[in-house]
Amino acid sequence: MTGEPGMRYETWRALALWGEEEAAAAMEVIRSRSLFRYYGPDLGHRTDTFEREFSELAGVPHTVAVSSGTAALTAAMVGLGIPAGAEVIVPAVTFVGSVSAVVAARGIPVFAEVDDTLTLDPGQLAGLVTERTWGVMPVHLGNVAADMDPILEVARRHGLRVVEDAAQAAGVGYRGRPVGGLGDAGAFSFQLDKNITAGEGGAVTVTDPDVYDRVARYQDQGGQFTTSKGATRGSGDQPPFIGTNTRMTELTAAVLSAQLPRLAPMCRRLRDVARQVRAETADLSVQWRRLPDEEGSGGDLTLFLESRLAARRFVAGLHEAGIPAHTMYQGQTVTSNRAVREGRTPWGVEWDRPPRFRTSEGLLGRSVTIGLGAAMTDDDVTALVAAFRKNWEGATGQAG
């Protein structure tokens, strides 16, 4: 159980299911004394194994394991050849890491409204394209895929690269296809509250072998160098460049591999819980978040109230009943971040102040997300439904 007073169940996903498998995988690496992915006294190649397994999950030929979701987004854009100063369209509702990655890749973020999916509004995309636009970053937010088909259509029409921010969506699908394999590259996070976790970690998924080569080299110092042990890495087939170090460790990879078999069943269970709650509150006039593909969702329970005040009342009532709930990002778009708003990067001001995103602000501020945990019992679901119905009238003035 969580340490927070009054909580009936944990909202952790992968972490709630941790057990002996993770401990055994970690201890095997520790005992081998080979925590670095390329060499050691008894190297088990756990990172190589994780990359193969994750490629199968994402339905792509290639995965590069890295140190975080932000590192994955950065490496994906570098691998795709983003020019310095190029514009990347990013939804106004996302974690600041999406913007950080664009900056790290020497790009310029351009922000777009979201619609009632809380993901990038495809109808707004074409109007933001200029001669400087290089790509678009749809964000699969809170285990819900962005509406990718119309986004991909606009991208193809304008020759844009598509980098999927799937940090919050491992195991999620869109119309029968896994996210991370729909655009030109995908990026995943394995931070603590994600669907699989090692505390931190990330992965880049790609199809094009040349892009894979650039991503793999970028996250490993450029790939073409000589070590003290006399080994040179990198094929040498492409022009050399200086990279960075965002490599994944063997320990991280081993812990993540232990969780992959649980990912699909966990997403199914949480998807079923969300469906049950919606079905058992179907007589109420609830405006649920629109899901571009409910079958592919990883289990989301987000609704919109009539006002920010009503959303706050509903959250407070649920908390009092012991049900975890919140307004996503505290109702603030990513452009509310001062550095983002003012275009401030480590090397100076790089873009003009963006406009207000009133549609996104309105939807976000009126939203309530009810936390679902991987270890929820049937009794937990029953209590959730009861609390939802009881607090609905107090928040909305409508009988529940």
Side-chain angles (χ1 to χ4, degrees):
M1 297 296 288
T2 181
E4 296 180 61
M7 293 294 188
R8 288 201 181 113
Y9 59 83
E10 291 181 333
T11 57
W12 298 113
R13 289 180 174 248
L15 193 63
L17 304 177
W18 266 40
E20 292 303 316
E21 295 89 346
E22 284 82 1
M27 286 307 302
E28 186 178 3
V29 174
I30 291 169
R31 291 191 181 102
S32 75
R33 298 182 297 145
S34 302
L35 280 70
F36 182 55
R37 73 169 293 179
Y38 292 117
Y39 56 78
D42 185 18
L43 183 61
H45 299 284
R46 277 82 172 181
T47 312
D48 295 339
T49 299
F50 174 72
E51 288 175 336
R52 288 195 301 272
E53 293 170 341
F54 201 79
S55 289
E56 292 180 15
L57 182 145
V60 297
H62 307 291
T63 292
V64 180
V66 294
S67 58
S68 71
T70 306
L73 283 168
T74 305
M77 286 181 280
V78 171
L80 289 165
I82 182 173
E87 293 179 349
V88 180
I89 298 170
V90 179
V93 177
T94 187
F95 180 61
V96 71
S98 305
V99 183
S100 302
V102 174
V103 171
R106 301 187 65 198
I108 303 295
V110 173
F111 300 97
E113 294 273 22
V114 301
D115 57 21
D116 59 351
T117 67
L118 291 177
T119 66
L120 195 150
D121 182 352
Q124 302 289 318
L125 183 54
L128 295 171
V129 177
T130 72
E131 62 182 11
R132 298 179 299 278
T133 309
W134 172 83
V136 56
M137 183 187 292
V139 177
H140 305 306
L141 193 72
N143 280 293
V144 173
D147 198 358
M148 289 298 294
D149 282 348
I151 291 172
L152 290 168
E153 193 279 324
V154 174
R156 283 192 295 267
R157 188 164 11 112
H158 292 276
L160 306 182
R161 292 292 202 170
V162 179
V163 179
E164 298 174 69
D165 183 340
Q168 301 178 14
V172 170
Y174 174 79
R175 299 182 182 177
R177 296 163 289 170
V179 300
L182 304 170
D184 295 296
F188 294 82
S189 170
F190 309 126
Q191 183 267 343
L192 195 62
D193 63 0
K194 300 305 190 290
N195 291 346
I196 61 172
T197 184
E200 270 290 8
V204 185
T205 50
V206 296
T207 300
D208 187 305
D210 290 334
V211 175
Y212 165 70
D213 181 71
R214 280 181 58 85
V215 171
R217 287 195 287 138
Y218 173 74
Q219 58 86 47
D220 187 20
Q221 308 285 14
Q224 295 167 336
F225 57 86
T226 303
T227 72
S228 60
K229 297 181 180 299
T232 300
R233 297 194 201 117
S235 64
D237 295 337
Q238 300 295 330
F241 61 86
I242 301 299
T244 188
N245 174 12
T246 58
R247 297 178 293 235
M248 180 177 284
T249 70
E250 290 284 274
L251 187 59
T252 296
V255 170
L256 291 170
S257 285
Q259 296 164 56
L260 283 176
R262 303 185 200 130
L263 180 57
M266 181 187 71
C267 289
R268 272 197 307 272
R269 165 62 177 163
L270 294 177
R271 188 163 56 243
D272 289 345
V273 168
R275 283 175 175 156
Q276 181 180 344
V277 174
R278 289 197 296 269
E280 294 189 22
T281 57
D283 58 311
L284 307 178
S285 56
V286 180
Q287 182 190 355
W288 294 105
R289 176 189 187 184
R290 181 167 60 86
L291 307 180
D293 177 22
E294 184 183 358
E295 287 296 322
S297 165
D300 170 78
L301 205 57
T302 299
L303 62 149
F304 302 106
L305 279 293
E306 62 183 8
S307 67
R308 285 177 176 257
L309 180 59
R312 285 198 293 269
R313 285 198 300 261
F314 196 49
V315 168
L318 291 174
H319 279 179
E320 189 174 343
I323 303 300
H326 64 278
T327 291
M328 196 178 292
Y329 298 128
Q330 300 180 48
Q332 297 183 337
T333 62
V334 73
T335 53
S336 297
N337 178 296
R338 180 182 171 187
V340 175
R341 187 172 65 248
E342 297 179 2
R344 294 186 180 276
T345 73
W347 38 88
V349 175
E350 297 291 318
W351 61 86
D352 295 332
R353 182 183 293 257
R356 290 280 298 276
F357 293 93
R358 297 190 182 278
T359 298
S360 299
E361 290 175 4
L363 288 165
L364 199 57
R366 296 189 294 111
S367 72
V368 173
T369 296
I370 299 172
L372 301 181
M376 287 181 73
T377 66
D378 291 342
D379 287 344
D380 291 329
V381 180
T382 299
L384 192 165
V385 172
F388 188 110
R389 298 186 66 88
K390 179 179 178 181
N391 285 282
W392 180 253
E393 182 174 1
T396 66
Q398 302 171 21

